[in-house]
Amino acid sequence: MRIGVLTGGGDCPGLNAVIRAVVRKGVEVYGHDFVGFRDGWRGPIEGDTMTLDVHAVRGILPRGGTILGTSRTNPYKTEDGEGKVLATLERLDIDALVAVGGEDTLGVATKLAASGVHVVGVPKTIDNDLGATDYTFGFDTAVGVAMEAIDRLHTTGDSHHRALVVEVMGRHAGWIALHAGLAGGANVILIPENPFDIEAVVAYVEHRFASGYSPVLVVSEGALPKDGGLVLGSGVVDDFGHVRLGGVGAALADVIEQRTGKESRAVVLGHVQRGGTPTAFDRVLATRFGLSAIDAVHSQDWGAMVALRGTEIVRVPLAEATAELKTVPAERYAEAEVFFG
Ligand code: F6P
């Protein structure tokens, strides 16, 4: 078979490990050929390809980002996007596609599968918010980066008697904030699932100062106050309708400083969480996803997505990946609340 591979959406540590596993097993075990599509769905729309053979994937296991490039291009927001994708696949004699991405990329893959494209999906997002899989690769790396930042902020915050607010990624789901905050001993964790009460946040901050320590607060970029009193977001919207987030950390630090009289600063971790080398956990998960994805292609299980259930890699229908967002359940947030203040 001749198989196209693409990576779409925000990049994520472990993407290269997936590509490597797909190609290595695909060539060495099954004898397939590969074509790399550049920059997500832009590649098949414009017919922009690169060589993807065993030589091309040598040495990429520990490398962050994606050798294929990525974008948030949506074929269904491009004039005759689907037609262009189908025409490219036909012109290049592509028998099957492996699409690695989050809800948007896999949403496109689901529609293409319904139009008869032979596609297999691999779930990816540092946010860990895809319902069909227990974990996505990249999440563990992002949590590790955020945890290290929190550890460092505790010592500088205590030295200066300042409140420090760390803004982490997480558009709809607060998994990064929850896990990094728990691992780093944050004094407050604010997530999109639970609109926060400014009065309660101020009370936690004051309690922490009163105990002789300086508070570190972790806030997901998508978290919002109950009363809607903070002005956030740039207003920039991508091809899939997502507003570019950012700003809740700074807004919160301002309110804390005004209300408590204590100096407060915000740190935005942003893309630092997404870049760089994946952890061992993410390399292994991404490698296992890649191996399982090429098995699914080889057995012509079209419309399947690989997923982690417990410790097993299983196949689920692609449509399941995008059916439901996996948000933080109330009881998981309650575990963290024990340590607030
Ligand atoms: O979807 C993953 C993610 O990292 C979100 O947490 C974040 O809101 C978004 O991507 C940022 O994407 P971009 O780099 O395109 O602004």
Side-chain angles (χ1 to χ4, degrees), residues 10 72 125-127 169-171 221 244-245 271 274:
R72 295 192 188 275
T125 166
I126 63 162
D127 292 358
M169 282 189 169
R171 184 183 288 284
E221 60 183 356
R244 190 180 297 167
L245 296 172
H271 296 91
R274 282 216 316 237

Side-chain angles (χ1 to χ4, degrees), residues 123-314:
K124 165 248 58 153
T125 166
I126 63 162
D127 292 358
N128 198 39
D129 59 359
L130 288 179
T133 182
D134 288 352
Y135 282 98
T136 43
F137 62 87
F139 172 66
D140 186 64
T141 305
V143 168
V145 169
M147 180 197 72
E148 190 189 335
I150 295 166
D151 286 350
R152 290 173 186 276
L153 291 172
H154 275 302
T155 62
T156 175
D158 278 339
S159 305
H160 287 264
H161 319 292
R162 286 174 177 149
L164 293 172
V165 180
V166 197
E167 182 179 308
V168 298
M169 282 189 169
R171 184 183 288 284
H172 307 292
W175 290 109
I176 296 178
L178 182 78
H179 279 228
L182 265 178
N187 308 108
V188 178
I189 301 170
L190 304 174
I191 61 176
E193 293 86 341
N194 287 48
F196 59 87
D197 175 7
I198 297 263
E199 300 303 324
V201 172
V202 168
Y204 285 135
V205 166
E206 283 176 335
H207 177 264
R208 182 71 180 172
F209 276 123
S211 333
Y213 299 98
S214 297
V216 174
L217 301 87
V218 182
V219 57
S220 305
E221 60 183 356
L224 287 170
K226 268 185 185 152
D227 63 8
L230 303 178
V231 180
L232 308 168
S234 60
V236 178
V237 176
D238 71 17
D239 240 13
F240 287 90
H242 302 303
V243 175
R244 190 180 297 167
L245 296 172
V248 64
L252 197 61
D254 282 351
V255 172
I256 290 170
E257 185 161 306
Q258 284 160 21
R259 297 286 303 273
T260 64
K262 297 282 191 184
E263 188 181 347
S264 304
R265 302 282 186 91
V267 176
V268 181
L269 294 187
H271 296 91
V272 171
Q273 294 158 98
R274 282 216 316 237
T277 191
T279 59
F281 180 90
D282 283 337
R283 293 183 199 190
V284 172
L285 179 58
T287 297
R288 293 183 72 208
F289 274 173
L291 294 172
S292 182
I294 195 62
D295 289 346
V297 169
H298 190 70
S299 56
Q300 308 197 3
D301 192 357
W302 310 130
M305 185 192 84
V306 298
L308 180 72
R309 295 278 165 87
T311 56
E312 298 303 311
I313 309 291
V314 298

Side-chain angles (χ1 to χ4, degrees), residues 26 75 92 99-100 122 135 146 170 283 296 309 333 340:
L92 299 177
V100 190
V122 178
Y135 282 98
R283 293 183 199 190
R309 295 278 165 87
Y333 190 64
F340 288 8

